[in-house]
Amino acid sequence: MQERPHGAARVRPRPYVVWLIGAGALATVVGVVWVLIAFESAQQATTFSGPIPTLPVFTYAQYSQRDIVPDYTGLFSASSSRATARLSSSRAPSWRSHGGGRREAVILDGMAPHDSTARILAVCRVAQLRPDSGNVGVTAIDKQPVEPRLKVRTLGLYGDVQADRKHHGGVGKALYAYADEAADFWEAELGRAIPPGLFGENLRTVGVDVDGAEIGERWRIGDELVVEVTCPRTPCATFQRRMREPQWVRRFTEAGRVGAYLAVVHTGTVGAGDAVEVVRRPGHGVTIASWFSGADADQAEALLAAEADGRLELYREMTESIAKVRGRAA
């Protein structure tokens, strides 16, 4: 080994070399994280055939001013198939009675008591954001069925998005369910097909009394997903433009077949063919249909009493609605 001459200066690495080494290490870490995220997304990717749907071009200013967050993972749709029902035995609900006629909800075993074939017919998420003449400028009502199982988180389906976040989405409106039996009614009424997703629903059900569900009722979907019925859907002008039917909002309202919004109690996955079980019913008697068509002070008090007893949690949409009803009755 050659010895350093006496008095010679020690060679130190230059600062920019240290910075380059540090930047390279950081880039490696970021790259690994990115690969893991990409792998996660690939597991949820939807197979599709045919041309890729075109996303309308909007400026960053439009998105930032209107609080629209486009999610490109939801732009690919796949054709749906009516899955075979998963059947199992059902048991009727049971109740514990209390003084004064009050009933307490208890956990139910088995499938939904109204139909042992209760299941998810189709799972739908946004196909593409479409231009709309409303205040937001775009709409995410264009939901279409997808075939792979999707994760369901607190704010809804993986890859789904809402354009108008003031009136749609959020914890209390994470999912929107609509019954295929109600769609059959509209097919006969309108003389046209009502395929899953046309009404903007995330879940098209079969054998589930969606409009007859009590507010606060809980459903187990598949093996692990648990959702809670929170409030009825209120038809809007965007829905009118979507359907292009004369006086659509009025007709949809008068029919009372509005479907239900759902909150996610326990996250999981969902796919077509999943069984739907009613696992809890609060027992206050206020249903999606009864509240939508005839909300009054008595129903409002029943809901508040049920919340006070711990039989359900009223989400913001319902507390605001109850406050309006009580204000009118005062």
Side-chain angles (χ1 to χ4, degrees):
M1 178 184 298
Q2 184 176 1
E3 296 185 0
R4 177 167 54 89
H6 180 70
R10 182 182 298 275
V11 178
R12 294 186 177 89
R14 301 196 177 190
Y16 70 85
V17 174
V18 176
W19 282 104
L20 287 176
I21 293 173
L26 179 61
T28 300
V29 172
V30 171
V32 170
V33 172
W34 181 259
V35 168
L36 292 175
I37 294 174
F39 179 78
E40 165 89 13
S41 299
Q43 298 301 308
Q44 293 292 332
T46 307
T47 57
F48 66 95
S49 59
I52 298 175
T54 302
L55 177 69
V57 177
F58 301 99
T59 66
Y60 173 79
Q62 285 177 299
Y63 285 122
S64 60
Q65 292 171 5
R66 291 167 176 168
D67 193 28
I68 302 169
V69 181
D71 190 326
Y72 295 99
T73 61
L75 295 179
F76 306 105
S77 63
S79 59
S80 65
S81 61
R82 299 206 168 199
T84 303
R86 288 165 45 184
L87 305 180
S88 67
S89 60
S90 63
R91 293 176 59 183
S94 58
W95 303 92
R96 287 195 293 267
S97 298
H98 297 265
R102 183 171 65 83
R103 297 185 300 170
E104 181 182 82
V106 297
I107 301 299
L108 307 174
D109 287 329
M111 297 286 290
H114 43 268
D115 192 331
S116 61
T117 64
R119 70 190 191 280
I120 300 298
L121 176 64
V123 177
C124 309
R125 69 179 176 188
V126 66
Q128 60 180 324
L129 297 176
R130 292 186 177 275
D132 183 68
S133 60
N135 293 332
V136 177
V138 292
T139 175
I141 197 173
D142 183 16
K143 312 290 187 187
Q144 295 183 17
V146 294
E147 290 186 349
R149 298 189 65 80
L150 294 180
K151 291 182 179 179
V152 181
R153 296 170 176 146
T154 304
L155 294 178
L157 285 177
Y158 180 89
D160 199 26
V161 66
Q162 297 82 35
D164 181 2
R165 293 192 170 188
K166 180 179 180 181
H167 300 103
H168 301 286
V171 174
K173 293 182 176 180
L175 299 167
Y176 173 49
Y178 201 79
D180 198 51
E181 295 81 359
D184 289 342
F185 166 83
W186 286 115
E187 286 188 353
E189 188 76 9
L190 302 177
R192 57 183 280 196
I194 307 295
L198 181 64
F199 285 2
E201 74 270 27
N202 300 114
L203 305 176
R204 176 67 68 88
T205 66
V206 171
V208 181
D209 189 3
V210 175
D211 294 304
E214 285 190 0
I215 293 170
E217 184 173 300
R218 288 187 178 182
W219 306 340
R220 180 185 295 115
I221 301 176
D223 296 328
E224 55 184 348
L225 177 63
V226 178
V227 299
E228 182 168 324
V229 176
T230 60
C231 63
R233 185 233 189 109
T234 300
C236 60
T238 301
F239 194 21
Q240 170 76 58
R241 292 187 290 271
R242 164 80 161 170
M243 293 301 295
R244 299 181 180 179
E245 293 285 347
Q247 303 296 316
W248 174 246
V249 170
R250 178 183 62 79
R251 294 165 68 183
F252 190 78
T253 298
E254 290 177 350
R257 295 169 169 86
V258 294
Y261 281 113
L262 310 172
V264 178
V265 176
H266 188 279
T267 60
T269 63
V270 65
D274 281 357
V276 179
E277 307 169 64
V278 176
V279 294
R280 191 188 75 174
R281 184 168 289 138
H284 51 63
V286 182
T287 67
I288 288 293
S290 69
W291 182 259
F292 179 81
S293 300
D296 56 24
D298 289 340
Q299 292 189 78
E301 296 306 321
L303 289 170
L304 291 172
E307 183 180 44
D309 290 345
R311 287 178 282 157
L312 80 160
E313 176 184 354
L314 292 173
Y315 288 80
R316 177 180 59 83
E317 292 78 10
M318 279 304 299
T319 58
E320 292 176 354
S321 183
I322 288 171
K324 292 178 182 178
V325 169
R326 298 180 82 194
R328 289 195 300 265

